[in-house]
């Protein structure tokens, strides 16, 4: 399979291949062992038909795109990979984001599994299994060796990431509420771009937190991220200045490096050194405003409260409540205790924090941080309880919540900021996948994309030609 979607579209337009030929490669990957637990439903017949009918001059030219099982897809039920919604009626129409992909020539190859109701950064699912992480950047690395234990893919867009890393899809539509695009991108050697939330319509989805939810995509390269964002946001990204020597970049010392694994620290610092050797101006800064975020969220945060508002009608019925993943249900139920006054206070505190952050980071074109502070743990270490050994179940639950908190910590800062961020791979061939995150406040999307493209050319020159 070619390097990225951009290359594939060019080959189709130049007559070097066809969408139908490339669709067969995608279908073969989707049916391979690499895609175990990835898809909740595949649309192979329809995808073949859409690939054959797509005009080569459309942006996606009939290539396979996957859709997270959170978005309405016409004639198929949207279940959010839950047992609760398995008998739901089929969606009457596509969600706006899905409709925009189809209009751009996408062939929807299937719906991808996810953390139940998108409420986890780990990617495990007790009902339908957990896809194993892959390394799209270095397919031959030990992560794929059969003798190695399977590792978590990250979530909640777990199947989305593995669908792209495996070659089943050229890009994946997903969502990012606290890092659900960037976390699995980082753990699978992919690119994940969380745009400013308001730029892409989030209608036709099962919400987690309407305040924080962002519809966005996982891709194989930054230029693919630009292409998918232009389709999803129905806007053109400015070409802008891509020379890093003309940009002012910073690395905040606070928060992002707490409890960081040495391997992640080393990979990040190696990447910064590479960028500086290429002429980038990068300043390590103190950003004490980051330390105030815990106080903002102290009364509960948006995700538990807003998700409880959606789920409460089900949770009040013991029979329906029993269908939930207990780890997900416990997090949703935390939102039951927040009062309307507390919620309004949270909104106000967030806005004040955003304003202070915007002032503090205004002098910089973008900020750089590790996407997540750890590499992917094994699936076995965080596996859902099975009732066989109560002590082991408790250990795995404790490890799940520890890992979940660390995976979400760095990325969720940008969601609270209402900002934009892109994660791109920064690991070597003999390392587990890791991500470098480029970020800024709301509506700095073009600068983040431009700077990310320049960084990709330095860290991964063979992928950016």
């Amino acid at each position: 399979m070619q390097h990225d979607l951009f290359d594939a579209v060019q080959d189709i337009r130049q007559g070097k291949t066809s969408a139908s030929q490339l669709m067969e490669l995608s279908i073969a990957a989707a049916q391979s062992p690499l895609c175990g637990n990835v898809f909740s439903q595949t649309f192979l017949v329809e995808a073949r038909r859409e690939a054959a009918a797509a005009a080569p001059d459309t942006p996606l030219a009939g290539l396979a795109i996957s859709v997270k099982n959170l978005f309405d897809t016409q004639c198929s039920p949207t279940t959010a990979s839950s047992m609760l919604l398995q008998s739901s009626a089929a969606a009457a129409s596509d969600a706006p984001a899905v409709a925009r992909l189809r209009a751009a020539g996408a062939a929807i190859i299937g719906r991808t599994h996810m953390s139940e109701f998108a409420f986890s950064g780990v990617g495990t699912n007790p009902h339908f299994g957990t896809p194993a992480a892959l390394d799209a950047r270095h397919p031959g690395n030990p992560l794929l060796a059969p003798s190695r234990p399977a590792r978590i893919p990250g979530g909640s867009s777990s199947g989305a990431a593995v669908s792209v890393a495996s070659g089943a899809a050229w890009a994946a539509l997903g969502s990012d509420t606290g890092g659900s695009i960037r976390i699995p991108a980082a753990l699978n050697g992919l690119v994940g771009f969380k745009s400013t939330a308001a730029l892409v319509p989030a209608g036709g989805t099962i919400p987690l937190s309407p305040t924080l939810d962002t519809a966005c995509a996982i891709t194989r390269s930054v230029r693919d991220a630009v292409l998918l964002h232009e389709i999803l946001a129905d806007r053109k990204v400015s070409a802008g200045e891509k020379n890093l020597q003309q940009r002012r970049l910073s690395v905040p010392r606070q928060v992002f490096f707490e409890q960081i694994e040495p391997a992640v620290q080393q990979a990040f610092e190696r990447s910064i050194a590479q960028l500086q050797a290429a002429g980038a101006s990068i300043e390590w800064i103190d950003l004490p405003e980051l330390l105030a975020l815990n106080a903002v969220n102290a009364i509960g945060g948006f995700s538990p409260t807003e998700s409880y508002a959606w789920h409460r009608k089900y949770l009040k019925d013991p029979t329906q409540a029993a269908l939930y993943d207990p780890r997900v249900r416990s997090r949703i139920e935390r939102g039951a205790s927040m009062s309307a006054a507390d919620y309004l206070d949270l909104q106000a505190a967030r806005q004040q924090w955003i304003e202070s952050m915007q002032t503090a980071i205004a002098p910089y074109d973008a900020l750089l941080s590790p996407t997540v502070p750890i590499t992917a743990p094994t699936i076995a270490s965080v596996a859902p309880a099975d009732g066989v050994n109560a002590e082991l179940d408790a250990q795995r639950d404790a490890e799940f919540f520890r890992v979940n908190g660390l995976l979400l910590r760095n990325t969720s800062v940008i969601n609270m900021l209402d900002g934009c961020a892109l994660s791109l791979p920064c690991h070597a061939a003999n390392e587990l996948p890791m991500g470098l995150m480029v970020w800024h406040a709301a509506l700095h999307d073009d600068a983040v994309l431009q700077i990310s493209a320049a960084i990709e050319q330095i860290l991964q020159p063979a992928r950016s030609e």
Side-chain angles (χ1 to χ4, degrees):
M1 185 172 272
Q2 283 96 343
H3 161 58
D4 62 10
L5 187 153
F6 185 93
D7 284 336
V9 170
Q10 298 308 309
D11 285 352
I12 290 170
R13 291 174 180 171
Q14 294 167 15
K16 296 179 181 179
T17 187
S18 68
S20 293
Q21 288 174 310
L22 295 179
M23 179 57 69
E24 293 308 313
L25 295 178
S26 293
I27 290 173
Q31 295 177 325
S32 77
L34 294 178
C35 278
N37 303 321
V38 165
F39 289 97
S40 59
Q41 185 177 5
T42 54
F43 308 126
L44 306 187
V45 172
E46 297 86 346
R48 284 188 172 109
R49 183 171 63 245
E50 290 167 350
D57 60 352
T58 53
L60 299 177
L63 293 174
I65 307 295
S66 68
V67 174
K68 186 177 183 178
N69 196 359
L70 197 72
F71 293 82
D72 285 348
T73 303
Q74 188 174 23
C75 300
S76 171
T78 306
T79 69
S81 291
S82 70
M83 293 302 294
L84 181 73
L85 302 181
Q86 286 302 300
S87 59
S88 298
S93 60
D94 287 334
V98 176
R100 288 182 177 183
L101 289 170
R102 285 198 203 273
I108 306 300
I109 193 169
R111 288 181 174 273
T112 54
H113 272 311
M114 51 186 282
S115 305
E116 183 186 79
F117 291 117
F119 215 151
S120 158
V122 179
T124 55
N125 188 302
H127 313 303
F128 306 103
T130 301
L134 304 176
D135 185 351
R137 183 179 175 192
H138 302 292
N141 95 357
L143 187 66
L144 302 182
S147 59
R148 297 296 180 95
R151 294 182 178 271
I152 63 163
S156 62
S157 305
S158 53
V162 180
S163 76
V164 178
S166 68
W170 293 89
L173 176 64
S175 62
D176 191 309
T177 303
S180 289
I181 282 284
R182 290 161 288 152
I183 295 166
L187 299 188
N188 288 271
L190 296 164
V191 171
F193 177 57
K194 179 232 173 297
S195 61
T196 300
L199 293 180
V200 180
T205 65
I206 295 174
L208 172 55
S209 168
T211 295
L212 305 174
D213 292 345
T214 307
C216 42
I218 294 175
T219 61
R220 297 180 68 86
S221 69
V222 175
R223 62 183 178 181
D224 283 358
V226 172
L227 174 59
L228 268 291
H229 175 65
E230 289 183 334
I231 293 167
L232 293 172
D234 191 22
R235 60 183 291 269
K236 191 71 176 174
V237 172
S238 168
E241 176 57 64
K242 296 181 181 178
N243 185 348
L244 287 187
Q245 296 178 1
Q246 307 301 317
R247 301 287 194 170
R248 189 178 179 193
L249 308 177
S250 69
V251 178
R253 294 187 181 95
Q254 286 82 5
V255 177
F256 293 98
F257 296 92
E258 295 174 8
Q259 301 180 63
I260 192 169
E261 286 183 10
V264 180
Q265 177 97 29
Q266 292 165 10
F268 181 79
E269 291 180 352
R270 180 183 65 216
S271 300
I272 295 299
Q274 286 180 260
L275 298 177
Q276 290 174 324
S281 174
I282 302 174
E283 178 184 355
W284 288 74
I285 65 169
D286 287 319
L287 190 56
E289 288 79 5
L290 290 169
L291 301 175
L293 190 53
N294 282 342
V296 174
N297 282 319
I299 55 176
F302 288 103
S303 293
T305 303
E306 294 182 342
S307 63
Y308 180 75
W310 194 91
H311 287 274
R312 59 185 171 174
K313 60 181 177 293
Y314 301 114
L315 293 172
K316 289 177 180 178
D317 181 336
T319 301
Q320 293 181 317
L323 297 176
Y324 282 75
D325 174 353
R327 293 169 174 173
V328 170
R329 187 178 69 239
S330 69
R331 298 181 74 198
I332 295 173
E333 288 176 338
R334 292 174 192 166
S337 62
M338 184 178 284
S339 68
D342 287 340
Y343 181 74
L344 293 175
D345 285 346
L346 175 61
Q347 292 278 14
R350 181 201 185 207
Q351 187 56 43
Q352 291 175 358
W353 180 78
I354 288 174
E355 291 170 3
S356 68
M357 279 285 290
Q358 287 176 333
T359 299
I361 66 178
Y364 304 100
D365 294 298
L367 298 94
L368 310 178
S369 306
T371 306
V372 294
I374 60 174
T375 54
T378 64
I379 293 175
S381 68
V382 295
D386 57 19
V388 175
N389 184 317
E391 182 178 355
L392 181 58
D393 285 346
Q395 290 174 355
R396 292 192 304 222
D397 275 348
E399 180 65 359
F400 170 87
F401 285 110
R402 184 190 76 84
V403 167
N404 190 59
L406 285 173
L407 288 174
L408 288 163
R409 187 198 63 210
N410 291 3
T411 53
S412 62
V413 170
I414 287 77
N415 298 81
M416 282 297 288
L417 182 62
D418 191 25
C420 51
L422 183 142
S423 176
L424 73 161
C426 67
H427 62 290
N430 61 342
E431 298 172 334
L432 291 172
M434 292 171 265
L436 182 150
M437 184 165 65
V438 185
W439 59 279
H440 210 293
L443 301 179
H444 285 70
D445 301 73
D446 289 8
V448 164
L449 287 165
Q450 294 157 8
I451 291 167
S452 297
I455 290 174
E456 184 182 49
Q457 289 177 345
I458 295 168
L459 299 185
Q460 307 163 34
R463 291 170 55 87
S464 310
E465 296 172 356

